[in-house]
CSV table of all heavy atoms in Angstrom, one decimal:
chain,number,residue,atom,x,y,z
D,1,GLU,N,-33.3,4.7,24.6
D,1,GLU,CA,-33.1,3.3,24.9
D,1,GLU,C,-32.4,3.2,26.3
D,1,GLU,O,-32.8,2.3,27.1
D,1,GLU,CB,-32.3,2.6,23.8
D,1,GLU,CG,-32.2,1.1,24.0
D,1,GLU,CD,-31.1,0.5,23.0
D,1,GLU,OE1,-31.0,1.0,21.9
D,1,GLU,OE2,-30.5,-0.5,23.4
D,2,GLY,N,-31.4,4.0,26.5
D,2,GLY,CA,-30.7,4.0,27.8
D,2,GLY,C,-31.6,4.3,29.0
D,2,GLY,O,-31.6,3.7,30.0
D,3,ILE,N,-32.4,5.4,28.7
D,3,ILE,CA,-33.4,5.8,29.8
D,3,ILE,C,-34.4,4.7,30.1
D,3,ILE,O,-34.6,4.3,31.2
D,3,ILE,CB,-34.1,7.1,29.3
D,3,ILE,CG1,-33.2,8.3,29.3
D,3,ILE,CG2,-35.3,7.3,30.2
D,3,ILE,CD1,-33.8,9.5,28.6
D,4,ALA,N,-34.9,4.0,29.0
D,4,ALA,CA,-35.9,3.0,29.2
D,4,ALA,C,-35.3,1.8,29.9
D,4,ALA,O,-35.9,1.2,30.9
D,4,ALA,CB,-36.5,2.5,27.8
D,5,SER,N,-34.0,1.4,29.5
D,5,SER,CA,-33.4,0.2,30.1
D,5,SER,C,-33.0,0.4,31.5
D,5,SER,O,-32.9,-0.6,32.3
D,5,SER,CB,-32.3,-0.3,29.3
D,5,SER,OG,-31.2,0.6,29.3
D,6,ALA,N,-32.8,1.6,31.9
D,6,ALA,CA,-32.3,1.9,33.3
D,6,ALA,C,-33.5,1.7,34.3
D,6,ALA,O,-33.3,1.4,35.5
D,6,ALA,CB,-31.8,3.3,33.5
D,7,GLY,N,-34.7,1.9,33.8
D,7,GLY,CA,-35.9,1.6,34.6
D,7,GLY,C,-36.2,2.6,35.7
D,7,GLY,O,-37.0,2.3,36.6
D,8,LYS,N,-35.6,3.7,35.6
D,8,LYS,CA,-35.9,4.8,36.7
D,8,LYS,C,-37.2,5.5,36.3
D,8,LYS,O,-37.5,5.8,35.2
D,8,LYS,CB,-34.8,5.8,36.8
D,8,LYS,CG,-34.7,6.5,38.1
D,8,LYS,CD,-33.3,7.1,38.3
D,8,LYS,CE,-33.2,7.8,39.6
D,8,LYS,NZ,-33.1,6.8,40.8
D,9,PRO,N,-38.1,5.8,37.3
D,9,PRO,CA,-39.3,6.4,37.0
D,9,PRO,C,-39.1,7.8,36.3
D,9,PRO,O,-38.2,8.5,36.7
D,9,PRO,CB,-40.0,6.7,38.4
D,9,PRO,CG,-39.3,5.7,39.3
D,9,PRO,CD,-38.0,5.4,38.8
D,10,ARG,N,-39.9,8.1,35.3
D,10,ARG,CA,-39.7,9.3,34.5
D,10,ARG,C,-39.7,10.5,35.4
D,10,ARG,O,-39.0,11.5,35.2
D,10,ARG,CB,-40.9,9.4,33.5
D,10,ARG,CG,-40.9,10.7,32.7
D,10,ARG,CD,-39.7,10.8,31.8
D,10,ARG,NE,-39.6,12.1,31.1
D,10,ARG,CZ,-38.9,13.2,31.5
D,10,ARG,NH1,-38.2,13.1,32.6
D,10,ARG,NH2,-38.9,14.3,30.7
D,11,SER,N,-40.6,10.5,36.4
D,11,SER,CA,-40.7,11.7,37.3
D,11,SER,C,-39.4,12.0,38.0
D,11,SER,O,-39.2,13.1,38.5
D,11,SER,CB,-41.8,11.5,38.3
D,11,SER,OG,-41.5,10.4,39.1
D,12,GLU,N,-38.5,11.0,38.1
D,12,GLU,CA,-37.2,11.2,38.8
D,12,GLU,C,-36.1,11.7,37.9
D,12,GLU,O,-35.0,11.9,38.4
D,12,GLU,CB,-36.8,10.0,39.6
D,12,GLU,CG,-37.8,9.6,40.7
D,12,GLU,CD,-37.4,8.3,41.4
D,12,GLU,OE1,-36.3,7.9,41.3
D,12,GLU,OE2,-38.4,7.7,41.9
D,13,LEU,N,-36.4,11.8,36.6
D,13,LEU,CA,-35.3,12.1,35.7
D,13,LEU,C,-35.5,13.6,35.2
D,13,LEU,O,-36.7,14.1,35.1
D,13,LEU,CB,-35.3,11.2,34.5
D,13,LEU,CG,-35.0,9.7,34.8
D,13,LEU,CD1,-35.2,8.9,33.5
D,13,LEU,CD2,-33.5,9.6,35.3
D,14,PHE,N,-34.5,14.2,34.7
D,14,PHE,CA,-34.5,15.5,34.1
D,14,PHE,C,-33.8,15.3,32.7
D,14,PHE,O,-32.6,15.1,32.6
D,14,PHE,CB,-33.7,16.5,34.9
D,14,PHE,CG,-33.8,17.9,34.4
D,14,PHE,CD1,-34.7,18.8,35.0
D,14,PHE,CD2,-33.0,18.4,33.4
D,14,PHE,CE1,-34.8,20.2,34.6
D,14,PHE,CE2,-33.1,19.7,33.0
D,14,PHE,CZ,-34.0,20.6,33.5
D,15,VAL,N,-34.6,15.4,31.7
D,15,VAL,CA,-34.1,15.2,30.3
D,15,VAL,C,-34.2,16.4,29.4
D,15,VAL,O,-35.2,17.1,29.4
D,15,VAL,CB,-34.9,14.0,29.6
D,15,VAL,CG1,-34.3,13.7,28.2
D,15,VAL,CG2,-34.9,12.8,30.5
D,16,THR,N,-33.0,16.7,28.8
D,16,THR,CA,-32.9,17.9,27.9
D,16,THR,C,-32.7,17.4,26.5
D,16,THR,O,-31.9,16.4,26.3
D,16,THR,CB,-31.7,18.7,28.3
D,16,THR,OG1,-31.8,19.2,29.7
D,16,THR,CG2,-31.5,19.9,27.4
D,17,THR,N,-33.3,18.1,25.5
D,17,THR,CA,-32.8,18.0,24.2
D,17,THR,C,-32.8,19.3,23.5
D,17,THR,O,-33.2,20.3,24.1
D,17,THR,CB,-33.6,16.9,23.3
D,17,THR,OG1,-32.8,16.6,22.1
D,17,THR,CG2,-35.0,17.5,22.9
D,18,LYS,N,-32.2,19.4,22.3
D,18,LYS,CA,-31.9,20.7,21.7
D,18,LYS,C,-32.3,20.7,20.3
D,18,LYS,O,-32.1,19.7,19.6
D,18,LYS,CB,-30.5,21.1,21.8
D,18,LYS,CG,-29.9,21.0,23.2
D,18,LYS,CD,-28.4,21.3,23.3
D,18,LYS,CE,-27.8,20.8,24.6
D,18,LYS,NZ,-27.4,19.4,24.6
D,19,LEU,N,-32.9,21.8,19.8
D,19,LEU,CA,-33.3,22.0,18.4
D,19,LEU,C,-32.1,22.1,17.5
D,19,LEU,O,-31.2,23.0,17.8
D,19,LEU,CB,-34.2,23.2,18.3
D,19,LEU,CG,-34.6,23.6,16.9
D,19,LEU,CD1,-35.6,22.7,16.3
D,19,LEU,CD2,-35.2,25.1,16.9
D,20,GLY,N,-32.0,21.3,16.5
D,20,GLY,CA,-31.0,21.5,15.5
D,20,GLY,C,-31.5,22.4,14.4
D,20,GLY,O,-32.3,23.3,14.6
D,21,LYS,N,-30.9,22.3,13.2
D,21,LYS,CA,-31.3,23.1,12.1
D,21,LYS,C,-32.8,22.7,11.7
D,21,LYS,O,-33.1,21.5,11.7
D,21,LYS,CB,-30.4,22.9,10.8
D,21,LYS,CG,-29.1,23.6,10.9
D,21,LYS,CD,-28.3,23.4,9.7
D,21,LYS,CE,-26.9,24.1,9.8
D,21,LYS,NZ,-26.1,23.9,8.6
D,22,LEU,N,-33.6,23.6,11.4
D,22,LEU,CA,-35.0,23.3,11.0
D,22,LEU,C,-35.0,22.9,9.5
D,22,LEU,O,-34.7,23.7,8.6
D,22,LEU,CB,-35.9,24.5,11.2
D,22,LEU,CG,-36.7,24.6,12.5
D,22,LEU,CD1,-37.6,25.9,12.4
D,22,LEU,CD2,-37.5,23.4,12.7
D,23,PRO,N,-35.4,21.6,9.3
D,23,PRO,CA,-35.5,21.2,7.9
D,23,PRO,C,-36.6,22.0,7.2
D,23,PRO,O,-37.6,22.4,7.8
D,23,PRO,CB,-36.0,19.7,8.0
D,23,PRO,CG,-35.6,19.3,9.4
D,23,PRO,CD,-35.8,20.5,10.2
D,24,GLU,N,-36.4,22.2,5.9
D,24,GLU,CA,-37.4,23.0,5.1
D,24,GLU,C,-38.8,22.4,5.3
D,24,GLU,O,-39.0,21.2,5.2
D,24,GLU,CB,-37.0,22.8,3.6
D,24,GLU,CG,-37.6,23.8,2.7
D,24,GLU,CD,-37.2,25.3,3.0
D,24,GLU,OE1,-36.1,25.6,3.2
D,24,GLU,OE2,-38.2,26.1,3.0
D,25,GLY,N,-39.7,23.3,5.5
D,25,GLY,CA,-41.1,22.9,5.6
D,25,GLY,C,-41.6,22.3,6.9
D,25,GLY,O,-42.7,21.9,7.1
D,26,LYS,N,-40.6,22.2,7.9
D,26,LYS,CA,-41.0,21.7,9.2
D,26,LYS,C,-41.0,22.8,10.3
D,26,LYS,O,-40.3,23.7,10.2
D,26,LYS,CB,-39.9,20.6,9.6
D,26,LYS,CG,-40.0,19.4,8.8
D,26,LYS,CD,-39.6,18.1,9.6
D,26,LYS,CE,-40.0,16.9,8.8
D,26,LYS,NZ,-39.5,15.7,9.4
D,27,THR,N,-41.9,22.6,11.2
D,27,THR,CA,-42.0,23.5,12.4
D,27,THR,C,-41.1,23.0,13.5
D,27,THR,O,-40.7,21.8,13.5
D,27,THR,CB,-43.4,23.6,12.9
D,27,THR,OG1,-43.8,22.3,13.4
D,27,THR,CG2,-44.4,24.1,11.8
D,28,VAL,N,-40.9,23.8,14.5
D,28,VAL,CA,-40.1,23.4,15.7
D,28,VAL,C,-40.9,22.2,16.3
D,28,VAL,O,-40.3,21.2,16.7
D,28,VAL,CB,-40.0,24.6,16.7
D,28,VAL,CG1,-39.3,24.1,18.0
D,28,VAL,CG2,-39.2,25.7,16.1
D,29,ARG,N,-42.2,22.3,16.4
D,29,ARG,CA,-43.0,21.3,17.0
D,29,ARG,C,-42.8,19.9,16.2
D,29,ARG,O,-42.7,18.9,16.9
D,29,ARG,CB,-44.5,21.6,16.9
D,29,ARG,CG,-45.4,20.7,17.7
D,29,ARG,CD,-46.9,21.1,17.6
D,29,ARG,NE,-47.7,20.3,18.6
D,29,ARG,CZ,-48.0,19.1,18.4
D,29,ARG,NH1,-47.7,18.4,17.3
D,29,ARG,NH2,-48.8,18.5,19.3
D,30,ASP,N,-42.8,20.0,14.9
D,30,ASP,CA,-42.6,18.7,14.1
D,30,ASP,C,-41.3,18.0,14.6
D,30,ASP,O,-41.3,16.8,14.8
D,30,ASP,CB,-42.4,19.0,12.6
D,30,ASP,CG,-43.7,19.5,12.0
D,30,ASP,OD1,-44.8,19.2,12.6
D,30,ASP,OD2,-43.6,20.2,11.0
D,31,THR,N,-40.2,18.8,14.7
D,31,THR,CA,-38.9,18.2,15.1
D,31,THR,C,-39.0,17.7,16.6
D,31,THR,O,-38.4,16.6,16.9
D,31,THR,CB,-37.7,19.2,15.0
D,31,THR,OG1,-37.8,20.1,16.0
D,31,THR,CG2,-37.7,19.8,13.6
D,32,LEU,N,-39.7,18.4,17.4
D,32,LEU,CA,-39.7,18.0,18.8
D,32,LEU,C,-40.5,16.7,18.9
D,32,LEU,O,-40.2,15.8,19.7
D,32,LEU,CB,-40.4,19.1,19.7
D,32,LEU,CG,-40.5,18.7,21.2
D,32,LEU,CD1,-39.2,18.4,21.9
D,32,LEU,CD2,-41.3,19.7,22.0
D,33,VAL,N,-41.6,16.6,18.2
D,33,VAL,CA,-42.4,15.3,18.2
D,33,VAL,C,-41.6,14.2,17.8
D,33,VAL,O,-41.6,13.1,18.4
D,33,VAL,CB,-43.7,15.5,17.3
D,33,VAL,CG1,-44.4,14.2,17.1
D,33,VAL,CG2,-44.7,16.5,18.0
D,34,GLU,N,-40.7,14.4,16.8
D,34,GLU,CA,-39.8,13.3,16.3
D,34,GLU,C,-38.8,12.9,17.4
D,34,GLU,O,-38.6,11.8,17.7
D,34,GLU,CB,-39.0,13.7,15.1
D,34,GLU,CG,-39.8,13.6,13.8
D,34,GLU,CD,-39.0,14.2,12.6
D,34,GLU,OE1,-37.8,14.1,12.6
D,34,GLU,OE2,-39.7,14.7,11.7
D,35,SER,N,-38.3,14.0,18.1
D,35,SER,CA,-37.4,13.7,19.2
D,35,SER,C,-38.0,12.9,20.3
D,35,SER,O,-37.4,12.0,20.8
D,35,SER,CB,-36.8,15.1,19.7
D,35,SER,OG,-36.0,15.7,18.8
D,36,LEU,N,-39.2,13.3,20.7
D,36,LEU,CA,-39.9,12.6,21.8
D,36,LEU,C,-40.2,11.2,21.4
D,36,LEU,O,-40.0,10.3,22.3
D,36,LEU,CB,-41.3,13.3,22.1
D,36,LEU,CG,-41.1,14.7,22.7
D,36,LEU,CD1,-42.5,15.4,22.8
D,36,LEU,CD2,-40.5,14.6,24.1
D,37,LYS,N,-40.5,10.9,20.1
D,37,LYS,CA,-40.7,9.5,19.7
D,37,LYS,C,-39.4,8.7,19.9
D,37,LYS,O,-39.3,7.6,20.4
D,37,LYS,CB,-41.0,9.4,18.2
D,37,LYS,CG,-42.5,9.6,18.0
D,37,LYS,CD,-42.9,9.3,16.5
D,37,LYS,CE,-44.3,9.8,16.2
D,37,LYS,NZ,-44.4,10.3,14.8
D,38,LYS,N,-38.2,9.3,19.5
D,38,LYS,CA,-36.9,8.6,19.6
D,38,LYS,C,-36.6,8.5,21.1
D,38,LYS,O,-36.0,7.4,21.5
D,38,LYS,CB,-35.8,9.5,18.9
D,38,LYS,CG,-35.9,9.5,17.4
D,38,LYS,CD,-34.9,10.4,16.8
D,38,LYS,CE,-35.0,10.5,15.3
D,38,LYS,NZ,-34.2,11.5,14.7
D,39,LEU,N,-36.9,9.5,21.9
D,39,LEU,CA,-36.6,9.4,23.3
D,39,LEU,C,-37.5,8.5,24.1
D,39,LEU,O,-37.3,8.2,25.3
D,39,LEU,CB,-36.6,10.8,23.9
D,39,LEU,CG,-35.5,11.8,23.4
D,39,LEU,CD1,-35.8,13.2,23.8
D,39,LEU,CD2,-34.1,11.4,24.0
D,40,ARG,N,-38.6,8.2,23.5
D,40,ARG,CA,-39.7,7.4,24.1
D,40,ARG,C,-40.3,8.1,25.3
D,40,ARG,O,-40.6,7.5,26.4
D,40,ARG,CB,-39.2,6.0,24.6
D,40,ARG,CG,-38.4,5.2,23.5
D,40,ARG,CD,-38.0,3.9,24.0
D,40,ARG,NE,-37.0,3.3,23.1
D,40,ARG,CZ,-36.5,2.1,23.3
D,40,ARG,NH1,-36.9,1.3,24.3
D,40,ARG,NH2,-35.5,1.6,22.5
D,41,LEU,N,-40.5,9.4,25.2
D,41,LEU,CA,-41.0,10.2,26.3
D,41,LEU,C,-42.2,11.1,25.8
D,41,LEU,O,-42.3,11.3,24.6
D,41,LEU,CB,-39.9,11.2,26.7
D,41,LEU,CG,-38.6,10.6,27.2
D,41,LEU,CD1,-37.6,11.7,27.5
D,41,LEU,CD2,-38.8,9.8,28.5
D,42,ASP,N,-43.0,11.5,26.8
D,42,ASP,CA,-44.2,12.3,26.5
D,42,ASP,C,-43.8,13.8,26.5
D,42,ASP,O,-44.5,14.7,26.0
D,42,ASP,CB,-45.3,12.1,27.5
D,42,ASP,CG,-45.8,10.7,27.4
D,42,ASP,OD1,-45.8,10.1,26.3
D,42,ASP,OD2,-46.1,10.1,28.5
D,43,TYR,N,-42.7,14.1,27.2
D,43,TYR,CA,-42.2,15.5,27.3
D,43,TYR,C,-40.7,15.5,27.6
D,43,TYR,O,-40.2,14.5,28.1
D,43,TYR,CB,-43.0,16.2,28.4
D,43,TYR,CG,-42.7,15.7,29.8
D,43,TYR,CD1,-41.7,16.3,30.6
D,43,TYR,CD2,-43.4,14.7,30.4
D,43,TYR,CE1,-41.4,15.8,31.9
D,43,TYR,CE2,-43.1,14.1,31.6
D,43,TYR,CZ,-42.1,14.7,32.4
D,43,TYR,OH,-41.8,14.2,33.6
D,44,VAL,N,-40.1,16.7,27.4
D,44,VAL,CA,-38.7,16.8,27.9
D,44,VAL,C,-38.8,17.9,29.0
D,44,VAL,O,-39.7,18.8,29.0
D,44,VAL,CB,-37.7,17.2,26.9
D,44,VAL,CG1,-37.4,16.0,26.0
D,44,VAL,CG2,-38.1,18.4,26.0
D,45,ASP,N,-37.9,17.8,30.0
D,45,ASP,CA,-37.8,18.8,31.0
D,45,ASP,C,-37.3,20.2,30.6
D,45,ASP,O,-37.6,21.2,31.1
D,45,ASP,CB,-37.0,18.3,32.2
D,45,ASP,CG,-37.6,17.0,32.8
D,45,ASP,OD1,-38.4,17.1,33.6
D,45,ASP,OD2,-37.2,15.9,32.3
D,46,LEU,N,-36.4,20.1,29.6
D,46,LEU,CA,-35.7,21.3,29.1
D,46,LEU,C,-35.5,21.2,27.6
D,46,LEU,O,-35.0,20.2,27.1
D,46,LEU,CB,-34.4,21.5,29.8
D,46,LEU,CG,-33.6,22.8,29.5
D,46,LEU,CD1,-34.4,24.1,29.8
D,46,LEU,CD2,-32.3,22.8,30.3
């Protein structure tokens, strides 16, 4: 929300997130897709 409201172009930002504990039955990709939805981003830089 903070990233979206600041209005800076995505290409000018560097965004990191980190993998937490993997819930049973979920892949790393599953958790990243959830993170990207929350972050409102198509990718993270790190």
Side-chain angles (χ1 to χ4, degrees):
E1 188 188 327
I3 290 169
S5 67
K8 203 163 183 71
R10 173 66 184 97
S11 60
E12 291 176 26
L13 296 172
F14 185 100
V15 183
T16 300
T17 196
K18 309 179 195 81
L19 174 71
K21 283 184 181 176
L22 262 183
E24 196 63 46
K26 290 212 168 171
T27 63
V28 174
R29 189 182 190 282
D30 293 335
T31 74
L32 178 63
V33 167
E34 280 177 33
S35 289
L36 290 173
K37 274 186 195 153
K38 289 175 184 172
L39 293 166
R40 310 182 195 184
L41 300 175
D42 298 325
Y43 67 91
V44 286
D45 297 274
L46 182 61

